Amino acid sequence: AHKIIDHSHIFSSRRNKTSTTKQYHHHSEVVIMKAWRLAKYNEDVTAAIDSMTCEEIPVPEPQEGTVLIKNAYCSVNPIDWKLFSGGFDGFFPIKNFPYTPGFDIAGVVEKVGDGVADFAVGDRIIADLGLVETCVDPPLPQGAAGAFSEYSIAPSTICAKVGDADFETVVGVSLAGLTAYQGLFTGSHNQDLGKCKSGDKVLILGGAGGVGSIAIQLAADAGCYVTTTASPAKFDFVKGLGAKEVINYHEQDWGEVLAGQDYDLIYDSIGLMDDLNVHAPKVLKKGGKFVSIANFDPSAKGTDDVLFQLFLLHSKKPDLEKLVQMIKDGKLKIANDKIYSFDETQAALKQSMGGRSTGKVLIKL
């Protein structure tokens, strides 16, 4: 297996702004990478994004059970910038600043830590580095998050091989796909979630976004009757994914349109309190589930009629492998809205903040 320091041909052949550079200090070799860093929390998230800097830092060494990945693509998720305000510090603390944001990566295994048997140098993989896995106290050696960087460290237990699949067709599936899949079907962290089955009536709030667009496809593939909310410009897109009914949230109140229809599950990627308290009781069957990935309001609670569950995914190789196989089989397509260069990482985060993307926002290294 090549060691990092043998890759001089990579470093010397391309000296553009984002190429990796080598610095020599007294015969010992420090391999340097570019990484986007945030120095501190800021309640003004746009200002936080503007304050990010692209810095040169040492390439980390894989510890036991982890691999070092040379990233080819990253995918942006709303949680990336939602952490910047510090409002989530009680749930998902960032203990060491500056830190490198981002969770979704696709790339090639560059180095393998001790005890890793299922990956080798050269394997093409994707991973969701994990919110609950990396934003912890005490902090991990590699720190929180860590995607928006030329190299990342990931435990082998969260990586999935993608074979010869194009990275841009799979990089967006990790965080969003696991969020959709586990919320609809399996749950995580011992939460009793979705359990969707053929014939179930499922309403997906926010069907055109990164998670919603995957949730529609997974629920439809499982034989569910899928309804979703979208703006008129996105109607054709969500119908093409498998939604049987689309409600224009600009002009219609889904609680009125679907009242009395006994839906089994509402999958919420929007996070509005009225959706849970006012609309859901009219639409769900008694004891129906309201699974939210977006409503962190401490006052959000279920009732005898509506089971409420705030859901956080668990980054898990077997689930990710299932999703990769679905992509290869043509059963799941990850829509990409726009691909930015690594230099444009801040613009990519701002587009995600706008909340109007159709599918995923990617960063290409």
Side-chain angles (χ1 to χ4, degrees), residues 8-59:
S8 50
H9 60 284
I10 296 175
F11 306 130
S12 58
S13 64
R14 227 188 55 210
R15 288 221 175 260
N16 62 19
K17 270 203 289 194
T18 56
S19 69
T20 307
T21 52
K22 299 180 114 188
Q23 298 179 355
Y24 294 85
H25 301 290
H26 308 294
H27 308 298
S28 70
E29 192 159 21
V30 179
V31 186
I32 299 294
M33 67 177 184
K34 300 257 177 141
W36 282 97
R37 317 266 276 167
L38 182 73
K40 61 178 197 297
Y41 287 136
N42 188 334
E43 285 182 13
D44 179 345
V45 172
T46 304
I49 293 173
D50 287 335
S51 77
M52 286 169 65
T53 50
C54 191
E55 297 171 18
E56 295 196 338
I57 60 172
V59 173

Side-chain angles (χ1 to χ4, degrees), residues 168-170 172-173 210 213-215 217-218 237 240-241 323 326-336 359-360:
E168 66 184 66
T169 66
V170 291
V173 81
S213 59
I214 298 173
Q217 294 176 76
L218 296 179
F237 172 65
L241 300 175
L323 293 166
M326 285 185 76
I327 293 173
K328 289 183 168 181
D329 293 343
K331 292 179 171 180
L332 177 62
K333 189 174 186 326
I334 308 305
N336 294 329
K360 298 296 297 180

